[in-house]
Amino acid sequence: MGRSPCCEKAHTNKGAWTKEEDDRLIAYIRTHGEGCWRSLPKAAGLLRCGKSCRLRWINYLRPDLKRGNFTEEEDELIIKLHSLLGNKWSLIAGRLPGRTDNEIKNYWNTHIRRKLLNRGIDPATHRPVNEPPTNFPTTTTATENNNNNNNNNNNSFLDATTTTISFATTSQTTHHLVKQEVEEETKYNSDGRKIKNRLPEIQERCPDLNLELRISPPHHQNKSSSSSSSSSSSYIHPHVQHENYHNYHHHHRHAVTGGTTICFSCSLGIENSKECSCTASINGTSSSSTGYDFLGLKTGVLDYRSIEMK
DNA sequence: AATAACTACAACCGCTATTTT
DNA sequence: TAAAATAGCGGTTGTAGTTAT
């Protein structure tokens, strides 16, 4: 009892798009606008499935796309966002105007991964490659935690809803730095080419600064308000994020950093509810007293309030 | 000059959530 | 309400271009 299919799969083109196909798609969308990918191919006279048309338009034909090389600032922003969001390329792309998720994903895999490895940082965890395992049972990104939360049963101090987010720095810090030799299997030059005969490289690292945060449920959970999905995991799926943001009045999460409790949502600047007893506030006065710029809000690196939800 | 190895990226695939019938 | 399709996402692959041997 469902819909009829959008296209006959046997009669659709595959592979690279021709100039003519591009022109047809552009002309159609200019006239009729985006949307309804289901009916678009037929209406536009294209022998493609709607999915293929959508991908072509979103990733390559949209007029607002910024082509060309990524800037150093974009690189660093992608790294920071990836440390926070994991492989949520669409969310990351939402913070980089003119860039697509596919473009950023490719760029990550071809350039930034290598760049981080050269810095001695594991691109998956954003932690130093040579760092020994922590005492904690889970050291994961926000994304990975979505799958691992059920494995924390043996730790009384960490209940099943505790989330760990790694904020390992990717830029070189000026405080308390030590020199450390890093030997890597492969080195690359600035163009990303492999260097065969390399020497051990000295890299600056900050060994005693643990940027890992643990985010726990609110201390005084309201049973009626904790029944939503956000109570079971700190990972917020893109499709339900918007709804969960509205629940922040009732679901303030607290990061314990060196004995100081900081409310996740207040530190994000989303809201500082009356019920919340944390020391952060939306104008940053309290959080600045802790000397802690959660997610780089004060530096403007990440303004979580302006992330657009799709 | 030939070709093997590598890189970059466009496009496809499979999956989940949502929408439509 | 169930079934089937779409929309959208992240992972993977195919291949053209470049570099190294």
Side-chain angles (χ1 to χ4, degrees):
Chain A
M1 269 301 164
R3 300 187 225 178
S4 55
C6 70
C7 54
E8 295 178 54
K9 291 197 166 31
H11 299 103
T12 54
N13 290 340
K14 279 190 162 189
W17 279 64
T18 64
K19 180 80 172 60
E20 189 186 18
E21 286 177 312
D22 282 349
D23 291 343
R24 276 180 185 270
L25 182 56
I26 291 168
Y28 183 86
I29 291 177
R30 271 187 189 152
T31 309
H32 300 91
E34 269 186 70
C36 200
W37 300 109
R38 179 186 172 216
S39 58
L40 185 147
K42 195 174 179 183
L46 287 163
L47 293 173
R48 294 271 179 177
C49 76
K51 195 173 180 175
S52 180
C53 293
R54 176 187 157 272
L55 196 74
R56 183 67 184 171
W57 173 256
I58 299 256
N59 285 336
Y60 306 102
L61 300 179
R62 261 166 46 199
D64 58 324
L65 288 181
K66 183 200 291 182
R67 311 303 297 188
N69 296 336
F70 283 75
T71 65
E72 193 62 32
E73 288 73 26
E74 285 177 312
D75 279 15
E76 294 305 320
L77 183 54
I78 290 168
I79 291 167
K80 273 196 180 292
L81 288 167
H82 187 272
S83 74
L84 172 66
L85 301 167
N87 292 0
K88 297 292 168 189
W89 304 116
S90 62
L91 284 177
I92 294 172
R95 289 287 302 163
L96 285 104
R99 302 294 189 185
T100 69
D101 52 358
N102 203 38
E103 188 180 15
I104 293 170
K105 179 172 64 181
N106 283 332
Y107 187 65
W108 175 272
N109 287 326
T110 56
H111 290 85
I112 299 183
R113 276 174 55 85
R114 195 176 301 152
K115 188 174 177 176
L116 291 179
L117 286 170
N118 271 343
R119 291 177 181 177
I121 295 167
D122 182 347
T125 63
H126 294 263
R127 303 175 72 88
V129 175
N130 295 336
E131 184 180 82
T134 67
N135 294 329
F136 296 116
T138 58
T139 303
T140 61
T141 64
T143 305
E144 289 162 336
N145 255 289
N146 193 34
N147 300 323
N148 293 341
N149 274 341
N150 295 331
N151 301 328
N152 294 335
N153 301 335
N154 300 331
N155 304 282
S156 57
F157 67 98
L158 286 175
D159 69 22
T161 62
T162 297
T163 290
T164 302
I165 300 175
S166 172
F167 288 95
T169 184
T170 55
S171 59
Q172 297 197 342
T173 313
T174 54
H175 306 294
H176 312 297
L177 288 169
V178 296
K179 300 279 185 181
Q180 178 170 348
E181 281 196 13
V182 176
E183 288 197 56
E184 297 168 354
E185 288 183 6
T186 312
K187 297 293 294 179
Y188 301 87
N189 64 17
S190 59
D191 296 328
R193 302 290 176 197
K194 281 186 181 174
I195 300 170
K196 303 288 184 182
N197 52 341
R198 61 199 161 66
L199 294 168
E201 185 178 316
I202 303 294
Q203 295 222 353
E204 289 181 327
R205 296 180 58 198
C206 191
D208 55 355
L209 178 59
N210 184 0
L211 292 170
E212 184 176 279
L213 298 180
R214 292 181 181 279
I215 301 171
S216 308
H219 298 303
H220 36 278
Q221 273 191 323
N222 180 336
K223 262 201 166 179
S224 63
S225 65
S226 64
S227 59
S228 72
S229 63
S230 64
S231 65
S232 60
S233 169
S234 292
Y235 166 70
I236 304 166
H237 191 279
H239 293 302
V240 297
Q241 258 178 339
H242 189 71
E243 181 186 349
N244 283 324
Y245 288 161
H246 287 119
N247 290 335
Y248 265 110
H249 283 290
H250 310 292
H251 293 272
H252 285 237
R253 303 191 179 280
H254 295 79
V256 180
T257 59
T260 303
T261 301
I262 301 169
C263 173
F264 189 41
S265 48
C266 292
S267 295
L268 284 169
I270 295 166
E271 194 77 43
N272 192 14
S273 79
K274 291 170 184 171
E275 300 86 12
C276 184
S277 59
C278 82
T279 54
S281 73
I282 196 162
N283 61 14
T285 53
S286 298
S287 60
S288 65
S289 69
T290 66
Y292 186 70
D293 182 19
F294 198 70
L295 307 187
L297 287 174
K298 281 187 289 185
T299 61
V301 172
L302 174 61
D303 181 1
Y304 212 58
R305 285 164 292 184
S306 64
I307 290 182
E308 287 185 17
M309 294 302 123
K310 292 189 174 179

